[in-house]
Amino acid sequence: MTLLVDGDARSLVANELDRSLFVEAGAGTGKTTALVGRIVRLVATGRVREASGLVAITFTEAAAAELRDRIREALEAAAAGDLPRSERQRCATAVRRIDDASITTLHGFAQRILAEYPLEAGLPPGFEVEEGIAAELADEARWAQLRDSLLSDPDLEADLEVGLALGLTLHQLHDVTRLLHDRWDRLRGPSPTLAAPAPLDPTVPLAEVEAAVAIALGRTDIDPDDKLMRAVAGEAARWATGLREAVETGDHQGVARLLAAAPLTGWKGGSARVWGDDDKARVRAHMEAGISAAVAMVATARRAVLERLLPRLVADTLAAADARRRVGRLHFHDLLVLARDLLWADDPTVRRMLAARIDVVLVDEFQDTDPLQIEVVAALAGVDTTVLPARWEEVRLAPGRVVVVGDPKQSIYGFRGADITLWAKARDVFDPVDIVSLTQNFRTVPRILDWVNATFADLLAGRDDVQPGYVALGAHRQHIGPDLPVVVVGGPADGVRAPEVRALEASELSRVVAAMKAGALPVDDPGAPGGTRAVRFDDVAVLVPSRTPIGALERALDAADIPYRIESRSLVWATDAVRELLAVLRAVEDPADAVAVVAALRSPGFGCSDDDLASWR
Ligand SMILES: Nc1ncnc2c1ncn2[C@@H]1O[C@H](COP(=O)(O)OP(=O)(O)OP(=O)(O)O)[C@@H](O)[C@H]1O
Ligand SMILES: [Mg+2]
């Protein structure tokens, strides 16, 4: 047996059951295995008194199901192994009572806590969780009500009219309400009252553009078809006339609409030979000053309108969350917020009852935790659960009660508030001697790890607050078979069209797979005599970043008679075809949604080029 280079760290995780640990380690270093091993020891030694005292958390339903299986199998093996009789018995009992343990996602754990103490959480017993379509329908209904109430509110009428004239769409407002809904816990607290936005005063842009127009109109010697002449004496002049009229008639919406539609381009070129250096520069300077003033004004005004609307959106979001709690129809995020509120309540009753029953909390994939989730764990992790500190960062961990393992490089939930500064803060809660790192990789052969180490040391340079530095992984597995290097297929291909590149890549790939099979490349297989066997097609995985290359790949694999199976069919919703179709539908439904209209026009359905779009705009 090979000695593990990080063996000390591993034995700490397995055996030091009275220490709370923070385990930081790269991919395939056996983090989950180590966690499962520790759980077996915790159960066998009786530190986990009943299965219900075990809380093991991970971040997706799929990972939780796998973790449940791994824990059950490991406990079964321990119950049938050569441990002392009392330890085997404890493991066997835990297997029978495994459903009492919380081996689940944090949302699942939160739901369990709320189901145990509904009244204390302000919920009706038997509350339900609305997911998927039901939650979406509830959101649609709420939005329809809010939209109608905004549109019929005389206080907001003027702001909304200006906002819509400035290009704000109801779709965008709906998107804002969704964002608020997903983070409603952060909206609590006093909301600022904001003054009505100042009316738009287009004096400066108007004067500047009119000055440019006057210079152009004075140059009767220039061909009216000259490009700069058309842009200034034509388009800009019409814009300025319209804007002046709107100002004089007090048409605020017209002012807003025109400011948002200021001529952004067309006047930037112009021939010095035709215009003379002086006039060309003056026209350009006036246009530049006028248009940039208009653009800045529009940005400020859009912001002001949003800020005016925001308190209403926030109040509605909070009222909706409160209504969901009262009637007991919770959304996913509500579970975490309500569990956190319950656990951090001034009244310690529930917290103490839970802490008295729960012996350990272990968290896998800790890099994906967000602040709310950390608070749920931290409330149960301290030496003193009667009085909590002001912030989770100040919790003093009870010995052996918490183990978290994760790989900051594998964080996939950055958008949800999980980030590297949070990782560092959580690590600081642990005693430095309890921060453990595993570097020995069990999944991959040395040749590949060497390549990964060399490549990622450059790509993942550590930067505070942005990303962790790369930590080189050591290979535990031995190399077997011919010394196959990592092959990089493709490379810069100027002048070759993307579909051809894809076809080339696909045929090269199927050639490599066929060659591996024909050459009977040996692979590790603990079940095979001697521990190795010849490669089979089902040993090969092809990972693709999107569905785009899949068509070419299917054709190439079919041509080479290689059997295959395509996973993740659900990705179909993310395909270009579906995205484009949705953009077209969205544009048809709301032609004022400029983003959707441009996306639709660029799609193969309409096939507009960038030039077409520039001249259309
Ligand atoms: N101590 C060990 N000795 C031998 N093999 C191990 C050891 N620990 C883990 N392995 C094997 O290495 C592989 C990866 O293990 P595991 O899933 O625990 O890693 P991980 O660090 O949790 O991976 P990920 O980063 O994907 O979460 C598995 O096949 C596992 O059986
Ligand atoms: Mg793992």
Side-chain angles (χ1 to χ4, degrees):
M1 190 184 147
T2 334
L3 201 65
L4 305 179
V5 286
D6 51 12
D8 286 351
R10 253 169 241 282
S11 112
L12 213 103
V13 180
N15 302 316
E16 295 286 334
L17 304 180
D18 294 324
R19 282 165 67 176
S20 283
L21 297 175
F22 186 95
V23 184
E24 187 170 28
T29 51
K31 297 183 295 299
T32 307
T33 308
L35 206 62
V36 171
R38 182 172 176 102
I39 290 171
V40 171
R41 290 310 303 150
L42 286 164
V43 170
T45 55
R47 280 184 178 71
V48 166
R49 294 159 300 167
E50 305 266 346
S52 62
L54 171 66
V55 177
I57 306 279
T58 183
F59 277 82
T60 60
E61 295 290 349
E66 189 193 325
L67 188 60
R68 251 189 313 267
D69 286 346
R70 284 174 77 165
I71 292 173
R72 206 196 42 245
E73 280 162 21
L75 286 172
E76 275 166 0
D82 48 13
L83 295 174
R85 195 177 133 85
S86 60
E87 298 201 355
R88 279 189 281 125
Q89 271 175 348
R90 288 192 196 104
C91 291
T93 312
V95 172
R96 281 198 304 279
R97 308 295 302 269
I98 196 77
D99 286 343
D100 293 347
S102 299
I103 307 170
T104 174
T105 60
L106 248 162
H107 287 91
F109 182 51
Q111 185 172 353
R112 203 161 174 160
I113 294 176
L114 295 174
E116 257 176 80
Y117 301 100
L119 298 179
E120 291 82 348
L123 282 163
F127 67 89
E128 287 170 30
V129 182
E130 270 181 351
E131 284 178 77
I133 302 275
E136 259 167 55
L137 287 177
D139 168 68
E140 290 292 335
R142 188 171 60 92
W143 164 241
Q145 228 177 34
L146 173 62
R147 183 193 56 205
D148 293 349
S149 102
L150 291 176
L151 290 175
S152 60
D153 183 338
D155 273 355
L156 291 177
E157 192 179 342
D159 298 321
L160 260 176
E161 277 177 356
V162 170
L164 295 175
L166 285 171
L168 178 73
T169 66
L170 291 173
H171 264 312
Q172 291 166 339
L173 274 188
H174 189 190
D175 285 346
V176 173
T177 62
R178 285 204 193 93
L179 288 174
L180 296 176
H181 170 265
D182 290 345
R183 298 160 176 71
W184 68 263
D185 54 295
R186 301 190 206 174
L187 305 176
R188 290 182 290 197
S191 71
T193 36
L194 297 157
L200 288 164
D201 174 7
T203 313
V204 172
L206 191 51
E208 292 287 351
V209 172
E210 282 175 345
V213 172
I215 298 170
L217 291 179
R219 292 293 301 265
T220 47
D221 57 316
I222 297 179
D223 182 354
D225 269 345
D226 171 83
K227 198 167 166 250
L228 180 57
M229 185 56 91
R230 264 198 334 227
V232 179
E235 199 191 344
R238 278 195 298 280
W239 180 79
T241 311
L243 187 53
R244 168 123 348 251
E245 199 181 306
V247 171
E248 282 167 4
T249 56
D251 173 7
H252 302 302
Q253 257 177 288
V255 169
R257 200 172 43 247
L258 280 159
L259 280 173
L264 299 177
T265 51
W267 44 267
K268 294 197 172 166
S271 149
R273 192 172 44 77
V274 176
W275 285 78
D277 279 338
D278 207 29
D279 272 359
K280 187 186 150 196
R282 283 168 55 213
V283 166
R284 238 190 109 149
H286 282 304
M287 287 302 294
E288 187 88 59
I291 299 305
S292 54
V295 168
M297 206 169 267
V298 166
T300 315
R302 281 182 176 156
R303 203 191 151 87
V305 169
L306 262 188
E307 281 180 358
R308 264 292 270 177
L309 294 174
L310 214 49
R312 279 293 297 275
L313 306 186
V314 167
D316 182 78
T317 307
L318 292 175
D322 199 49
R324 287 195 301 275
R325 179 187 58 74
R326 274 185 285 109
V327 299
R329 299 187 73 82
L330 301 185
H331 286 189
F332 222 45
H333 186 63
D334 302 341
L335 293 170
L336 283 183
V337 182
L338 296 181
R340 192 271 316 265
D341 288 355
L342 180 62
L343 289 174
W344 282 78
D346 290 335
D347 179 350
T349 318
V350 171
R351 183 168 60 239
R352 280 196 1 222
M353 282 195 280
L354 281 167
R357 187 191 75 210
I358 294 172
D359 300 307
V360 286
V361 183
L362 305 105
V363 187
D364 198 2
E365 309 287 357
F366 184 70
Q367 70 277 1
D368 293 324
T369 318
D370 68 23
L372 207 52
Q373 298 174 334
I374 292 192
E375 282 180 297
V376 169
V377 174
L380 300 170
V383 271
D384 177 6
T385 46
T386 305
V387 183
L388 288 186
R391 301 176 316 133
W392 67 262
E393 289 94 327
E394 292 156 14
V395 164
R396 277 189 41 237
L397 298 176
R401 188 180 261 277
V402 195
V403 176
V404 306
V405 305
D407 177 3
K409 292 187 293 304
Q410 292 186 51
S411 176
I412 56 171
Y413 287 126
F415 57 87
R416 222 184 46 194
D419 66 28
I420 181 70
T421 40
L422 190 65
W423 174 268
K425 267 192 218 161
R427 192 176 43 194
D428 285 347
V429 174
F430 289 77
D431 191 325
V433 297
D434 292 334
I435 299 171
V436 175
S437 120
L438 307 176
T439 54
Q440 188 82 351
N441 174 291
F442 293 96
R443 220 175 247 144
T444 313
V445 288
R447 190 69 197 239
I448 295 175
L449 277 183
D450 290 346
W451 183 86
V452 168
N453 285 337
T455 308
F456 283 91
D458 280 347
L459 288 179
L460 288 183
R463 277 171 55 197
D464 285 354
D465 303 350
V466 179
Q467 65 181 18
Y470 183 72
V471 180
L473 294 168
H476 175 68
R477 288 177 56 187
Q478 299 296 314
H479 195 75
I480 57 166
D483 192 17
L484 284 179
V486 171
V487 187
V488 178
V489 180
D494 286 343
V496 188
R497 288 177 36 244
E500 289 165 31
V501 174
R502 264 180 234 127
L504 274 172
E505 218 170 62
S507 70
E508 182 65 8
L509 201 129
S510 58
R511 201 187 57 70
V512 171
V513 175
M516 279 165 28
K517 182 79 166 45
L521 184 79
V523 293
D524 281 328
D525 182 349
T532 66
R533 58 167 170 76
V535 69
R536 298 188 308 238
F537 283 130
D538 67 357
D539 290 318
V540 180
V542 179
L543 309 177
V544 287
S546 71
R547 285 186 67 88
T548 328
I550 288 183
L553 209 51
E554 283 180 301
R555 283 188 290 280
L557 293 171
D558 286 339
D561 262 342
I562 298 174
Y564 59 87
R565 195 175 68 200
I566 297 176
E567 303 276 354
S568 298
R569 290 268 175 201
S570 63
L571 284 180
V572 76
W573 291 106
T575 57
D576 292 350
V578 170
R579 261 212 324 274
E580 278 152 6
L581 183 61
L582 287 174
V584 173
L585 292 175
R586 200 168 243 218
V588 170
E589 192 209 3
D590 179 6
D593 185 344
V595 176
V597 171
V598 170
L601 291 176
R602 287 181 67 126
S603 72
F606 292 87
C608 293
S609 67
D610 287 347
D611 286 345
D612 295 336
L613 290 173
S615 59
W616 165 69
R617 195 75 179 100

